[in-house]
């Protein structure tokens, strides 16, 4: 279809403010991640703490580890991962599946490959406000078949959180968030509204696209684009192949952030208390005292 399609252009289009190439690095037990948020140059993009594109092949993985004070969103692109926690919650996240985990006051879990070959996916850490940091842990899980999808004028979207092209996700976001997986065919154009007060970014998975302005140069896979202020994003696919990317936005919390690895709180005193709670199996970590995942047992941990 021609580029002057029926989708409107933003009144105040968000332009690309910064660009980062996510380079491979080691994480967990032999896993490879491309970290774009949570790296030295971009430690925090309110409310987002980490964005990893991970690649893991057994026996590598992410064995038993804790979290407190935020949410983890795991979206599988290829293969599958087995998840298990100290509350007895376990299962497999397959290709196209979503797990939205609220760590809240504390969780200890493992994430390990569930199949042969390479497992690939995205994991996003979303900060929780001070009033939600100590809530009970919770899971929202949606299979690939249940994720809402819509197609219009050469644009297809899978709605992980929020809404787009008339499709809406059932996911409840404690920190208001949109998470959209777009694919644009050649010559397609997208306009996606974004609340003007939110921070937003794009991470490109496959192909190349033109983001923010039709005069901008194209950007290729594994690049993170931080978007400036505005009320929406425009994207053009001027290449001969489809481009796939995620568009993620969230309401800024505008609160102090103190992070110690997998613990994210508002003050150093709260971090000190969290470390004490974890070390002494108290205040949410009681079940960690006698728990090990099946993966950890099989690996001899």
């Amino acid at each position: 279809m021609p580029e002057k399609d029926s989708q409107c252009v933003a009144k105040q289009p968000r332009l690309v403010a910064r660009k980062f190439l996510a380079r491979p690095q080691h994480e967990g037990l032999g896993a490879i991640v491309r970290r774009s948020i949570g790296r030295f140059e971009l430690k925090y993009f309110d409310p987002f703490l980490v964005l990893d594109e991970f690649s893991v092949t057994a026996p590598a993985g992410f064995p038993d580890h804790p979290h407190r004070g935020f949410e983890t969103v795991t979206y599988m692109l290829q293969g599958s991962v087995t998840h298990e926690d100290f509350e007895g919650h376990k299962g497999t996240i397959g290709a196209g599946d979503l797990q939205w985990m609220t760590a809240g006051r504390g969780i200890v879990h493992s994430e390990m490959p569930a199949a042969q070959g390479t497992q690939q996916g995205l994991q996003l850490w979303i900060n929780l406000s001070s009033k939600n940091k100590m809530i009970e842990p919770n899971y929202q899980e949606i299979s690939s078949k249940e994720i809402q999808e819509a197609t219009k004028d050469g644009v297809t979207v899978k709605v992980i959180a929020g809404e787009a092209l008339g499709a809406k996700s059932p996911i409840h976001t404690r920190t208001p968030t949109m998470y959209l997986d777009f694919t644009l065919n050649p010559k397609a154009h997208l306009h996606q509204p974004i609340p003007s007060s939110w921070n937003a970014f794009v991470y490109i998975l496959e192909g190349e696209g033109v983001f923010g302005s039709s005069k901008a140069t194209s950007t290729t896979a594994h690049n993170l684009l931080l978007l400036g202020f505005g009320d929406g994003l425009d994207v053009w696919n001027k290449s001969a192949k489809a481009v796939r990317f995620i568009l993620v936005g969230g309401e800024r919390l505008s609160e102090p952030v103190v992070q110690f690895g997998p613990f994210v709180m508002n003050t150093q005193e709260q971090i000190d208390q969290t470390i004490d709670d974890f070390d002494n199996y108290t205040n949410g970590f009681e079940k960690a005292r006698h728990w090990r995942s099946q993966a950890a047992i099989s690996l001899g941990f």
Side-chain angles (χ1 to χ4, degrees), residues 22 64 74 87 104 113 162 178-179 213 227 239-240 263 279:
D64 306 4
T74 303
E87 293 284 353
M178 63 188 301
Y179 188 148
S213 167
L227 303 178
S239 73
F263 305 137
D279 287 344

Side-chain angles (χ1 to χ4, degrees), residues 12-301:
Q12 293 181 297
R14 289 183 181 241
L15 303 180
V16 176
R18 297 178 72 185
K19 180 172 78 169
F20 299 93
L21 176 63
R23 301 182 186 278
Q25 66 183 60
H26 292 279
E27 189 75 14
L29 179 66
I32 303 294
V33 303
R34 291 179 179 267
R35 179 161 296 169
S36 48
I37 300 175
R39 56 199 272 171
F40 177 77
E41 307 97 316
L42 185 63
K43 291 187 176 180
Y44 184 54
F45 187 52
D46 192 4
F48 306 110
L49 296 153
V50 167
L51 176 65
D52 283 343
E53 179 184 1
F54 63 85
S55 177
V56 57
T57 303
F62 305 96
D64 306 4
H65 59 280
H67 294 296
R68 174 182 276 181
F70 60 99
E71 299 184 296
T72 67
V73 182
T74 303
Y75 181 40
M76 291 301 298
L77 303 175
Q78 173 184 303
S80 56
V81 167
T82 295
H83 169 271
E84 182 182 358
D85 74 16
F86 69 178
E87 293 284 353
H89 183 93
K90 57 185 176 180
T92 299
I93 313 169
D97 294 349
L98 170 74
Q99 181 192 79
W100 197 291
M101 184 186 81
T102 303
R105 67 197 300 257
I107 202 80
V108 178
H109 73 158
S110 69
E111 301 154 295
M112 301 295 289
Q116 297 297 315
T118 300
Q119 329 301 312
Q120 294 180 309
L122 299 171
Q123 188 166 94
L124 175 70
W125 292 13
I126 305 174
N127 201 7
L128 288 169
S129 65
S130 56
K131 67 180 180 181
N132 287 326
K133 283 191 175 295
M134 294 297 286
I135 62 176
E136 292 297 321
N138 182 61
Y139 291 90
Q140 300 176 80
E141 296 173 321
I142 302 179
S143 71
S144 60
K145 295 179 180 179
E146 298 171 319
I147 291 177
Q148 297 299 302
E149 185 173 326
T151 299
K152 181 181 179 181
D153 297 336
V155 177
T156 297
V157 63
K158 296 179 180 179
V159 184
I160 308 305
E163 56 185 304
L165 302 184
K168 186 174 182 179
S169 169
I171 290 289
H172 169 65
T173 60
R174 289 163 182 80
T175 301
T177 304
M178 63 188 301
Y179 188 148
L180 308 172
D181 176 2
F182 281 108
T183 299
L184 271 63
N185 291 333
K187 298 185 179 181
H189 164 242
L190 165 72
H191 167 68
Q192 174 60 41
I194 304 170
S196 58
S197 62
W198 289 15
N199 277 335
F201 67 84
V202 164
Y203 185 77
I204 302 160
L205 296 170
E206 300 173 14
E208 59 181 287
V210 176
F211 297 84
S213 167
S214 61
K215 297 180 181 179
T217 57
S218 62
T219 306
T220 56
H222 311 303
N223 275 287
L224 176 87
L225 306 178
L226 299 188
L227 303 178
F229 296 106
D231 61 10
L233 174 68
D234 287 285
V235 184
W236 294 263
N237 184 356
K238 299 184 178 183
S239 73
K241 297 181 179 180
V243 58
R244 184 184 181 188
F245 61 92
I246 59 168
L247 169 61
V248 180
E251 184 175 84
R252 294 191 293 269
L253 298 177
S254 301
E255 295 181 352
V257 176
V258 181
Q259 181 173 358
F260 182 78
F263 305 137
V264 182
M265 304 300 287
N266 298 111
T267 68
Q268 185 59 49
E269 290 75 17
Q270 291 171 343
I271 288 292
D272 293 342
Q273 182 61 56
T274 296
I275 295 171
D276 186 70
D277 291 342
F278 179 65
D279 287 344
N280 293 287
Y281 310 107
T282 58
N283 199 21
F285 291 109
E286 290 84 354
K287 294 183 180 180
R289 181 186 296 272
H290 302 295
W291 180 82
R292 285 190 299 162
S293 69
Q294 290 300 313
I297 293 172
S298 65
L299 290 170
F301 292 166

